[in-house]
Amino acid sequence: MDMVKTRPDLSTLKTVLALAHYVPKLEEEGQGTLLAPSNDAFARMNPRLRRRLLQGDRKCLQKVLDNHILPHTICSTVIQGKAHTRSQLGNYLNISRSPDDKIFVHGAQVTQKDAMATNGVMHVIDKVLVPEEALDFLDVLEKEGYTELLGLVQAAGLTKALESAENVTIFAPSNTAIQNLPESLRFRLVQDKELLGQVLKFHVSPGADQRRRLYDNQKLPTLNEGSNIRIDTYSLHPFHHYGVMTAQCVPLTGERIQTCNGQIRGLQDVMIPPKGNVVDVLSLDKKFTILVSLVKRAGLADALQGAGPFTVLAPNNRVGGHVT
């Protein structure tokens, strides 16, 4: 920490350490390695990300700094060829020496090496090593290529809401899923900003800490008030282990990405908020008027409006018209 304080080319790092309340960590006794981004390294960062971090997003900032601390001393002379080591954050960082004797750490070049301190060694690097865990939802969605979803978020005016969201899970439909929506529905979503907002909020569930493990018959609250996401798991025979997990009958891709303000779960399709119980849904569709009348005549309507869960195999009017 003493070396950082006295070097003008590390003044931004000094500011960042203070904002993150990280100074005491670099003053502790021990034998660590500090990968110190220069002022130029911070200047080359994504402007929006740099602005967010420098405005005091302490939780995310600490994750960035943890990724620049190695819990052991690594001097440059021991790096021959390629190697990797864990950062304080727990991520693996690749370290290599090039044929022209330059040293790189996860894509960042070491510009000044082996500054020895009483509690370790410091190497100055020309790039900030931003881990995915320190990015917010918009950063990660952009990085992972969810361009269609980002476009809808911007169209609905929810960009700031996602930037400031804390501890939520986003169920993210793929680009293909959004592109394959029925043309009539896509047109309605583009034209009706309120409807688009409802659909997108239905893909966001508060309480990411409680969503790390999804399980069968789980109901997740959403930002679309009154609408829950239903999680189901299905085993594959003959092994009897969970093979498919769905949210509102939409398969999850298995991809779970941790971000600074929550997590992202990939989806193979877009989830549409339910319009009511199974009787309500059937009643709203003109193709099932005969079935609805039969359900009511049989006295089953009240039961099917209960908590469930139910699966209804629903013959449409064309089939029902043949029943005598």
Side-chain angles (χ1 to χ4, degrees), residues 32-174:
T33 298
L34 169 63
L35 304 171
S38 65
N39 292 348
D40 289 341
F42 279 102
R44 284 195 290 268
M45 286 180 69
N46 175 289
R48 193 179 68 82
L49 175 60
R50 183 178 65 246
R51 184 172 60 253
R52 177 167 62 82
L53 294 178
L54 293 179
Q55 285 175 349
D57 193 336
R58 189 190 307 169
K59 180 181 174 184
C60 300
L61 202 49
Q62 287 177 343
K63 291 181 179 180
V64 173
L65 294 171
D66 280 342
N67 209 41
H68 289 77
I69 303 291
L70 310 181
H72 39 262
T73 300
I74 297 183
C75 298
S76 65
T77 51
V78 304
I79 304 302
Q80 302 295 329
K82 296 180 180 180
H84 65 265
T85 185
R86 280 187 184 272
S87 69
Q88 192 103 322
L89 187 62
N91 291 343
Y92 276 110
L93 299 179
N94 297 317
I95 307 176
S96 63
R97 182 185 293 273
S98 66
D100 56 356
D101 209 33
K102 294 178 180 177
I103 295 176
F104 294 87
V105 182
H106 227 68
Q109 184 178 344
V110 174
T111 56
Q112 297 179 45
K113 57 191 177 184
D114 298 331
M116 292 302 300
T118 56
N119 57 353
V121 63
M122 179 176 76
H123 306 295
V124 179
I125 57 177
D126 67 352
K127 178 182 175 183
V128 181
L129 307 178
V130 181
E132 209 156 64
E133 295 91 335
L135 301 176
D136 67 14
F137 290 120
L138 298 181
D139 296 324
V140 175
L141 288 173
E142 182 177 0
K143 180 180 177 182
E144 296 296 324
Y146 286 91
T147 53
E148 293 282 347
L149 179 58
L150 273 175
L152 293 180
V153 168
Q154 292 165 357
L158 294 176
T159 301
K160 288 186 177 179
L162 284 190
E163 279 183 330
S164 59
E166 287 291 337
N167 194 31
V168 300
T169 297
I170 292 181
F171 291 88
S174 66

Side-chain angles (χ1 to χ4, degrees), residues 162-268:
L162 284 190
E163 279 183 330
S164 59
E166 287 291 337
N167 194 31
V168 300
T169 297
I170 292 181
F171 291 88
S174 66
N175 287 347
T176 302
I178 295 174
Q179 291 164 355
N180 288 342
L181 284 173
E183 192 172 331
S184 58
L185 177 57
R186 290 196 70 176
F187 180 78
R188 284 179 58 205
L189 292 175
V190 171
Q191 296 298 315
D192 191 336
K193 189 174 179 179
E194 183 177 351
L195 174 63
L196 177 58
Q198 290 175 357
V199 171
L200 292 174
K201 288 177 182 178
F202 186 60
H203 288 73
V204 182
S205 177
D209 290 344
Q210 291 78 45
R211 310 286 177 259
R212 293 184 185 277
R213 180 182 176 274
L214 302 179
Y215 54 85
D216 195 35
N217 294 326
Q218 189 178 15
K219 288 186 177 180
L220 308 179
T222 69
L223 297 187
N224 192 356
E225 192 172 349
S227 296
N228 294 326
I229 298 171
R230 180 177 181 82
I231 302 296
D232 290 293
T233 57
Y234 303 92
S235 59
L236 295 176
H237 295 285
F239 305 107
H240 301 288
H241 67 275
Y242 289 145
V244 178
M245 178 176 286
T246 63
Q248 295 296 107
C249 281
V250 176
L252 275 67
T253 62
E255 181 181 40
R256 184 178 73 180
I257 307 171
Q258 198 65 36
T259 73
C260 185
N261 45 355
Q263 64 177 340
I264 295 172
R265 303 293 298 248
L267 280 182
Q268 292 183 17

Side-chain angles (χ1 to χ4, degrees), residues 301-319:
D302 289 342
L304 289 178
Q305 289 175 315
F310 303 110
T311 295
V312 178
L313 306 175
N316 60 30
N317 290 348
R318 190 175 60 175
V319 176

